[in-house]
Amino acid sequence: MIKLTHVSHVFAGRQGEVHALDDITLEVRRNELVTLVGRSGCGKSTMLRMVAGLLRPSSGTVTVAGEPVGKPRQDVSFMFQRAALLPWRTVLDNVLLPVEILRLDRAAKRRRAHELLELVGLAGFEKRLPHELSGGMQQRASLCRSLIQDPLVLLMDEPFSALDALTREELSIELQRIRMEQEMTIIFVTHSIEEAVLLADRVAVLSPRPGRLRKIVDVDIPRPRTLGRNAYADRVAEVSAELHELLMPAPIASEGAV
Amino acid sequence: MTAARRSGSRVARRLVDWGLPVLGLAALVALWWLATIVFSIEKFLVPAPDDVVEAFIGQAGFLMEQTWVTLLETVQGFAVAVVVGIPTAMAIASSRLLEKMIYPLLLAVNAVPKIAIAPILVVWMGFGPVPKIVMVFLLCFFPIVISTATGLKSTPAELTELVRSYDASRLQVFFKVRFPYALPQVMVGLKTAISLAVIGAVIAEFVGADAGLGFVIVQSGASADTPLAFAAMALLGVISIVLFYGLNALEKVILPWAEENR
């Protein structure tokens, strides 16, 4: 579904060139959820923006559904770290923003918007303004907005990272539920190992400066997954530990000791 | 029960909102009155409040006519400033080139004391309402342009990126996101401008006019009719307050979201 082939990216920084990504090759299969994990500055968001068509790679190619990505596509939607709701629009109108810009069928999408809001537990809040909602509710509305165009691909850039831990887990579980209902290919950027293990079919681990693909870890734990006590706690712990080792620099001693 | 209490507290809040300014005004007038009596100040120097009220009642019709003249000049000049200023700000905000070209010019023009231009305006345009409208425009234009341009340039990156991810056209980006986002900032500019607008009208009337409250003040100064001048000044104050709070009320109606976001 999504294919990155020998993708590199160089930013013109203030002190010369910055190699954000170096020779990344990654394929995400249809309906798969791949999480990108890595420390800050490893180019996770850059990769996502390339798939979204918001940024062009310096070299290499990115394709979605077999077509090279030139500009943003209607069947690819993007969810940001912050809810990015328009403060003057009601929740419902915010969800319908893409419908207006992309000129989709309003009546049908209106019904769909109500369905989606119901699905994420925002029924009854359609007419509220964003500032009347909590952070978690805002991000739920934002999720509805990114689903309204029935995307084939959903790109999520640390969408839950600004929320408290419990809300975050709740939303992760909701996302799993939505995936069961609707087929979607998802790339999910996070710096949380927990989140990566909870959601992913595969975890792509990136190393920073320049961003390189360090390893791809398969997560074959049955769903739905939760963080609490469950039958697969051992497996969750095992994968988490592996990711942890990959992300931490080899000798831990010097940095942690104060 | 709770509903009753809530509406009760709303009444109380109204009382505070309206009562306190009135109380402040009453205290000031009382002090002023007291001062004129205690120091037995001459009427032509500082008239007591009752002298002013008397002057007002004596020439109420005349004063209302002059108030109308000044109000009209103020509102017209302000309206022209809005109509010219907002598109100018859009141009500045949309193009770096234009910004670099226009901005220093704007600053330079704004730095010229407007009162210095007033006599020239009279030479150019005579004693009618036009030079007053132009003067009001000159004072209002700058704050409107600056605030609007600032507002248009303050769109958060995540909102711009969001609409870009729908491959939105420049027009769509502008009307769906940038302009509405700038509106609270535009209102700040309008409120600054409206307070300057009345000043602009009066400056222009001082220099050369045959009508308006500024004209009344100049005339009554010449004939030492200070109570009439005070009455005219009070009316100027009323115009300012009404226009300012009118804008405030308009903002509350059309931008109910703004207060929570800034």
Side-chain angles (χ1 to χ4, degrees):
Chain A
M1 192 68 197
I2 303 167
K3 219 174 190 172
L4 289 90
T5 318
H6 300 297
V7 168
S8 297
H9 194 69
V10 182
F11 281 114
R14 214 171 300 172
Q15 284 137 8
E17 296 184 334
V18 179
H19 285 262
L21 285 176
D22 188 37
D23 195 24
I24 303 266
T25 297
L26 175 69
E27 186 172 354
V28 181
R29 293 181 284 264
R30 178 174 288 275
N31 259 341
E32 191 180 27
L33 194 157
V34 170
T35 53
L36 298 182
V37 296
R39 303 164 74 100
S40 37
C42 70
K44 309 184 290 279
S45 295
T46 308
M47 247 170 100
L48 214 58
R49 276 170 177 71
M50 285 174 176
V51 180
L54 292 170
L55 199 67
R56 274 170 190 278
S58 306
S59 65
T61 55
V62 181
T63 63
V64 169
E67 296 162 22
V69 175
K71 56 177 193 170
R73 296 165 57 110
Q74 193 171 318
D75 51 9
V76 175
S77 77
F78 203 103
M79 187 172 169
F80 297 88
Q81 183 171 10
R82 296 176 60 184
L85 299 172
L86 302 180
W88 55 90
R89 283 181 173 238
T90 62
V91 169
L92 182 65
D93 288 342
N94 262 296
V95 173
L96 290 171
L97 177 74
V99 177
E100 288 169 29
I101 295 180
L102 299 168
R103 302 202 166 84
L104 308 176
D105 174 13
R106 277 177 198 238
K109 287 303 180 187
R110 228 184 156 72
R111 280 196 299 277
R112 178 73 181 135
H114 281 288
E115 268 171 41
L116 285 169
L117 287 169
E118 171 115 43
L119 189 69
V120 302
L122 282 179
F125 290 91
E126 293 86 352
K127 298 275 173 245
R128 298 295 187 90
L129 288 173
H131 70 78
E132 299 174 293
L133 306 186
S134 68
M137 290 161 90
Q138 291 187 9
Q139 205 52 282
R140 284 188 167 93
S142 172
L143 179 61
C144 291
R145 180 180 60 196
S146 42
L147 294 175
I148 192 78
Q149 66 214 71
D150 290 319
L152 290 174
V153 173
L154 179 55
L155 304 169
M156 307 178 86
D157 189 8
E158 302 189 32
F160 308 146
S161 64
L163 307 173
D164 66 87
L166 285 175
T167 312
R168 190 174 177 158
E169 197 188 333
E170 237 172 65
L171 273 162
S172 304
I173 292 164
E174 241 152 61
L175 181 64
Q176 295 182 56
R177 221 176 59 217
I178 290 167
R179 273 191 74 213
M180 287 179 198
E181 189 206 287
Q182 188 179 347
E183 296 207 335
M184 255 188 309
T185 310
I186 300 177
I187 302 185
F188 190 110
V189 166
T190 178
H191 49 236
S192 150
I193 293 175
E194 273 182 358
E195 214 165 52
V197 176
L198 196 60
L199 292 172
D201 297 316
R202 287 188 297 157
V203 181
V205 182
L206 296 178
S207 63
R209 288 188 202 88
R212 285 205 176 100
L213 195 55
R214 179 109 191 256
K215 193 174 177 190
I216 294 180
V217 179
D218 282 302
V219 187
D220 51 353
I221 305 172
R223 293 174 196 280
R225 302 173 191 157
T226 57
L227 283 176
R229 229 183 290 251
N230 59 50
Y232 317 108
D234 292 353
R235 310 257 298 273
V236 170
E238 196 180 307
V239 178
S240 300
E242 185 182 355
L243 290 175
H244 202 267
E245 274 161 26
L246 285 166
L247 286 167
M248 288 308 251
I252 308 171
S254 61
E255 212 172 329
V258 178
Chain B
M1 180 63 198
T2 51
R5 189 179 298 162
R6 205 176 301 149
S7 76
S9 81
R10 192 177 297 162
V11 169
R13 208 180 325 135
R14 272 282 149 81
L15 219 64
V16 169
D17 280 355
W18 292 96
L20 283 182
V22 170
L23 199 71
L25 182 68
L28 187 72
V29 170
L31 265 176
W32 164 22
W33 209 329
L34 198 69
T36 54
I37 294 168
V38 171
F39 303 111
S40 55
I41 301 172
E42 292 286 349
K43 196 165 133 184
F44 70 89
L45 284 177
V46 180
D50 59 328
D51 298 327
V52 177
V53 172
E54 198 179 303
F56 177 77
I57 292 170
Q59 309 196 46
F62 170 72
L63 280 174
M64 280 299 119
E65 259 169 52
Q66 306 316 310
T67 304
W68 177 245
V69 169
T70 303
L71 180 66
L72 213 61
E73 289 162 1
T74 306
V75 171
Q76 284 174 320
F78 177 75
V80 176
V82 171
V83 170
V84 180
I86 290 181
T88 307
M90 286 179 187
I92 287 176
S94 64
S95 145
R96 268 275 164 77
L97 209 78
L98 275 177
E99 183 182 354
K100 283 196 171 147
M101 209 165 93
I102 300 177
Y103 224 74
L105 215 67
L106 261 177
L107 283 170
V109 171
N110 189 54
V112 176
K114 300 300 173 303
I115 188 130
I117 313 176
I120 307 172
L121 289 181
V122 173
V123 172
W124 287 346
M125 302 165 199
F127 288 85
V130 180
K132 285 83 181 175
I133 294 171
V134 171
M135 181 56 79
V136 174
F137 163 79
L138 285 175
L139 277 170
C140 292
F141 183 66
F142 194 73
I144 293 178
V145 172
I146 298 294
S147 290
T148 308
T150 310
L152 287 173
K153 284 195 285 188
S154 67
T155 321
E158 74 248 23
L159 293 186
T160 330
E161 204 166 31
L162 170 76
V163 279
R164 269 189 66 211
S165 80
Y166 303 130
D167 204 20
S169 70
R170 271 181 78 116
L171 273 182
Q172 283 176 325
V173 175
F174 186 82
F175 284 109
K176 299 250 183 246
V177 178
R178 288 185 57 176
F179 191 66
Y181 195 86
L183 278 177
Q185 200 60 41
V186 174
M187 283 308 295
V188 170
L190 294 189
K191 284 196 249 177
T192 314
I194 201 78
S195 352
L196 292 171
V198 182
I199 299 175
V202 173
I203 290 177
E205 284 172 358
F206 271 7
V207 174
D210 43 24
L213 290 172
F215 166 73
V216 172
I217 293 171
V218 173
Q219 287 293 303
S220 49
S223 58
D225 189 356
T226 319
L228 186 63
F230 268 59
M233 284 192 268
L235 285 170
L236 284 174
V238 171
I239 293 182
S240 282
I241 289 174
V242 167
L243 290 176
F244 185 85
Y245 280 102
L247 274 182
N248 234 5
L250 183 73
E251 181 180 24
K252 287 228 168 81
V253 173
I254 61 173
L255 305 174
W257 55 274
E259 226 162 312
E260 315 294 330
N261 282 278
R262 309 220 155 200

